[in-house]
Short mmCIF file of all heavy atoms in Angstrom, two decimals:
data_model
loop_
_atom_site.label_atom_id
_atom_site.label_comp_id
_atom_site.label_asym_id
_atom_site.label_seq_id
_atom_site.Cartn_x
_atom_site.Cartn_y
_atom_site.Cartn_z
N VAL A 179 123.79 -21.48 -108.29
CA VAL A 179 124.39 -21.08 -107.05
C VAL A 179 125.53 -22.06 -106.70
O VAL A 179 126.71 -21.57 -106.36
CB VAL A 179 123.37 -21.13 -105.86
CG1 VAL A 179 124.10 -20.92 -104.55
CG2 VAL A 179 122.28 -20.16 -106.06
N VAL A 180 125.36 -23.32 -106.88
CA VAL A 180 126.48 -24.29 -106.61
C VAL A 180 127.65 -24.14 -107.51
O VAL A 180 128.86 -24.30 -107.09
CB VAL A 180 125.89 -25.78 -106.65
CG1 VAL A 180 127.03 -26.76 -106.55
CG2 VAL A 180 124.90 -26.01 -105.59
N ASN A 181 127.32 -23.74 -108.80
CA ASN A 181 128.41 -23.61 -109.77
C ASN A 181 129.16 -22.25 -109.67
O ASN A 181 130.08 -22.03 -110.48
CB ASN A 181 127.82 -23.79 -111.20
CG ASN A 181 127.40 -25.25 -111.45
OD1 ASN A 181 127.93 -26.14 -110.82
ND2 ASN A 181 126.43 -25.42 -112.35
N SER A 182 128.73 -21.39 -108.73
CA SER A 182 129.42 -20.12 -108.53
C SER A 182 130.67 -20.38 -107.76
O SER A 182 131.09 -21.46 -107.47
CB SER A 182 128.50 -19.15 -107.78
OG SER A 182 128.26 -19.59 -106.49
N GLU A 183 131.35 -19.24 -107.46
CA GLU A 183 132.62 -19.38 -106.82
C GLU A 183 132.57 -19.92 -105.40
O GLU A 183 133.52 -20.41 -104.86
CB GLU A 183 133.32 -18.02 -106.80
CG GLU A 183 132.63 -16.98 -105.96
CD GLU A 183 133.41 -15.57 -105.84
OE1 GLU A 183 133.45 -14.93 -106.87
OE2 GLU A 183 133.93 -15.30 -104.80
N ASP A 184 131.34 -19.88 -104.82
CA ASP A 184 131.18 -20.37 -103.45
C ASP A 184 130.98 -21.92 -103.44
O ASP A 184 131.15 -22.51 -102.34
CB ASP A 184 130.05 -19.74 -102.76
CG ASP A 184 130.24 -18.27 -102.46
OD1 ASP A 184 131.43 -17.88 -102.26
OD2 ASP A 184 129.27 -17.49 -102.52
N GLY A 185 130.60 -22.48 -104.59
CA GLY A 185 130.38 -23.95 -104.56
C GLY A 185 129.10 -24.27 -103.68
O GLY A 185 128.18 -23.48 -103.58
N TRP A 186 129.10 -25.49 -103.09
CA TRP A 186 128.03 -25.89 -102.31
C TRP A 186 127.74 -25.01 -101.08
O TRP A 186 126.56 -24.82 -100.69
CB TRP A 186 128.25 -27.30 -101.76
CG TRP A 186 128.06 -28.40 -102.83
CD1 TRP A 186 129.03 -28.96 -103.57
CD2 TRP A 186 126.85 -28.93 -103.27
NE1 TRP A 186 128.46 -29.88 -104.44
CE2 TRP A 186 127.13 -29.91 -104.29
CE3 TRP A 186 125.53 -28.74 -102.92
CZ2 TRP A 186 126.14 -30.66 -104.94
CZ3 TRP A 186 124.54 -29.47 -103.53
CH2 TRP A 186 124.79 -30.40 -104.56
N THR A 187 128.73 -24.34 -100.61
CA THR A 187 128.48 -23.40 -99.45
C THR A 187 127.70 -22.26 -99.84
O THR A 187 127.15 -21.55 -98.91
CB THR A 187 129.91 -22.95 -98.91
OG1 THR A 187 130.63 -22.29 -99.90
CG2 THR A 187 130.66 -24.12 -98.42
N GLY A 188 127.58 -21.96 -101.13
CA GLY A 188 126.75 -20.89 -101.65
C GLY A 188 125.28 -21.03 -101.15
O GLY A 188 124.55 -20.05 -101.07
N LEU A 189 124.84 -22.29 -101.08
CA LEU A 189 123.47 -22.54 -100.65
C LEU A 189 123.22 -22.18 -99.28
O LEU A 189 122.07 -22.10 -98.77
CB LEU A 189 123.16 -24.07 -100.78
CG LEU A 189 123.05 -24.51 -102.29
CD1 LEU A 189 122.92 -26.06 -102.34
CD2 LEU A 189 121.94 -23.90 -103.01
N TRP A 190 124.29 -21.91 -98.51
CA TRP A 190 124.11 -21.43 -97.09
C TRP A 190 124.64 -19.98 -96.90
O TRP A 190 124.90 -19.61 -95.80
CB TRP A 190 124.90 -22.38 -96.14
CG TRP A 190 124.08 -23.65 -95.79
CD1 TRP A 190 123.30 -23.82 -94.69
CD2 TRP A 190 123.99 -24.79 -96.57
NE1 TRP A 190 122.66 -25.07 -94.75
CE2 TRP A 190 123.12 -25.70 -95.82
CE3 TRP A 190 124.56 -25.28 -97.78
CZ2 TRP A 190 122.79 -26.97 -96.30
CZ3 TRP A 190 124.23 -26.57 -98.22
CH2 TRP A 190 123.40 -27.38 -97.45
N ARG A 191 124.62 -19.32 -98.06
CA ARG A 191 125.00 -17.86 -97.91
C ARG A 191 124.00 -17.08 -97.03
O ARG A 191 122.82 -17.31 -97.12
CB ARG A 191 125.10 -17.16 -99.31
CG ARG A 191 126.22 -17.52 -100.14
CD ARG A 191 126.26 -16.70 -101.40
NE ARG A 191 126.51 -15.23 -101.05
CZ ARG A 191 127.76 -14.71 -100.77
NH1 ARG A 191 128.80 -15.47 -100.72
NH2 ARG A 191 127.83 -13.46 -100.49
N GLY A 192 124.53 -16.25 -96.11
CA GLY A 192 123.67 -15.52 -95.24
C GLY A 192 123.33 -16.35 -94.00
O GLY A 192 122.41 -15.93 -93.31
N LEU A 193 123.97 -17.46 -93.83
CA LEU A 193 123.62 -18.33 -92.59
C LEU A 193 123.79 -17.56 -91.33
O LEU A 193 122.99 -17.58 -90.45
CB LEU A 193 124.42 -19.58 -92.59
CG LEU A 193 124.16 -20.55 -91.44
CD1 LEU A 193 122.73 -20.98 -91.36
CD2 LEU A 193 125.12 -21.73 -91.54
N LYS A 194 124.96 -16.87 -91.24
CA LYS A 194 125.22 -16.07 -90.02
C LYS A 194 124.13 -15.04 -89.73
O LYS A 194 123.65 -14.92 -88.68
CB LYS A 194 126.62 -15.47 -90.04
CG LYS A 194 127.75 -16.49 -89.97
CD LYS A 194 129.11 -15.74 -90.07
CE LYS A 194 130.25 -16.78 -90.01
NZ LYS A 194 131.57 -16.04 -90.09
N ALA A 195 123.83 -14.30 -90.79
CA ALA A 195 122.77 -13.32 -90.66
C ALA A 195 121.44 -13.96 -90.28
O ALA A 195 120.64 -13.44 -89.57
CB ALA A 195 122.61 -12.55 -92.01
N SER A 196 121.18 -15.16 -90.92
CA SER A 196 119.95 -15.86 -90.64
C SER A 196 119.90 -16.30 -89.15
O SER A 196 118.83 -16.25 -88.50
CB SER A 196 119.78 -17.07 -91.53
OG SER A 196 119.60 -16.70 -92.89
N LEU A 197 121.04 -16.73 -88.63
CA LEU A 197 121.09 -17.17 -87.26
C LEU A 197 120.87 -15.95 -86.35
O LEU A 197 120.21 -16.15 -85.29
CB LEU A 197 122.40 -17.84 -86.94
CG LEU A 197 122.62 -19.22 -87.63
CD1 LEU A 197 124.00 -19.80 -87.28
CD2 LEU A 197 121.53 -20.22 -87.26
N VAL A 198 121.45 -14.83 -86.72
CA VAL A 198 121.22 -13.63 -85.90
C VAL A 198 119.67 -13.25 -85.97
O VAL A 198 119.14 -12.82 -85.01
CB VAL A 198 122.10 -12.47 -86.39
CG1 VAL A 198 121.74 -11.24 -85.67
CG2 VAL A 198 123.55 -12.82 -86.20
N LEU A 199 119.11 -13.45 -87.19
CA LEU A 199 117.69 -13.11 -87.45
C LEU A 199 116.72 -14.05 -86.72
O LEU A 199 115.47 -13.75 -86.84
CB LEU A 199 117.41 -12.98 -88.89
CG LEU A 199 117.65 -11.64 -89.62
CD1 LEU A 199 117.54 -11.76 -91.09
CD2 LEU A 199 116.72 -10.64 -89.02
N VAL A 200 117.25 -15.06 -86.06
CA VAL A 200 116.25 -15.85 -85.33
C VAL A 200 115.66 -15.07 -84.23
O VAL A 200 114.56 -15.45 -83.61
CB VAL A 200 116.94 -17.16 -84.71
CG1 VAL A 200 117.36 -18.05 -85.89
CG2 VAL A 200 117.99 -16.85 -83.73
N VAL A 201 116.22 -13.92 -83.91
CA VAL A 201 115.65 -13.05 -82.91
C VAL A 201 114.30 -12.53 -83.37
O VAL A 201 113.44 -12.10 -82.57
CB VAL A 201 116.50 -11.90 -82.51
CG1 VAL A 201 117.81 -12.35 -81.89
CG2 VAL A 201 116.80 -10.96 -83.67
N ASN A 202 114.11 -12.44 -84.73
CA ASN A 202 112.83 -11.97 -85.30
C ASN A 202 111.65 -12.83 -84.91
O ASN A 202 110.67 -12.33 -84.24
CB ASN A 202 112.90 -11.84 -86.76
CG ASN A 202 111.68 -11.13 -87.42
OD1 ASN A 202 110.63 -11.75 -87.42
ND2 ASN A 202 111.88 -9.95 -87.94
N PRO A 203 111.63 -14.18 -85.27
CA PRO A 203 110.55 -14.99 -84.75
C PRO A 203 110.53 -15.13 -83.24
O PRO A 203 109.42 -15.26 -82.71
CB PRO A 203 110.80 -16.34 -85.43
CG PRO A 203 112.18 -16.32 -85.80
CD PRO A 203 112.59 -14.94 -86.13
N ALA A 204 111.70 -15.04 -82.63
CA ALA A 204 111.76 -15.06 -81.14
C ALA A 204 110.99 -13.92 -80.59
O ALA A 204 110.16 -14.03 -79.69
CB ALA A 204 113.14 -15.13 -80.65
N ILE A 205 111.25 -12.69 -81.07
CA ILE A 205 110.53 -11.52 -80.63
C ILE A 205 108.96 -11.66 -80.93
O ILE A 205 108.18 -11.32 -80.13
CB ILE A 205 111.10 -10.20 -81.27
CG1 ILE A 205 112.58 -10.03 -80.73
CG2 ILE A 205 110.28 -9.04 -80.96
CD1 ILE A 205 113.28 -8.82 -81.44
#
Side-chain angles (χ1 to χ4, degrees):
V179 173
V180 172
N181 292 331
S182 67
E183 65 178 70
D184 291 330
W186 284 98
T187 59
L189 292 173
W190 277 267
R191 283 189 66 81
L193 177 60
K194 291 181 180 179
S196 296
L197 291 178
V198 174
L199 271 172
V200 298
V201 299
N202 186 291
I205 293 173

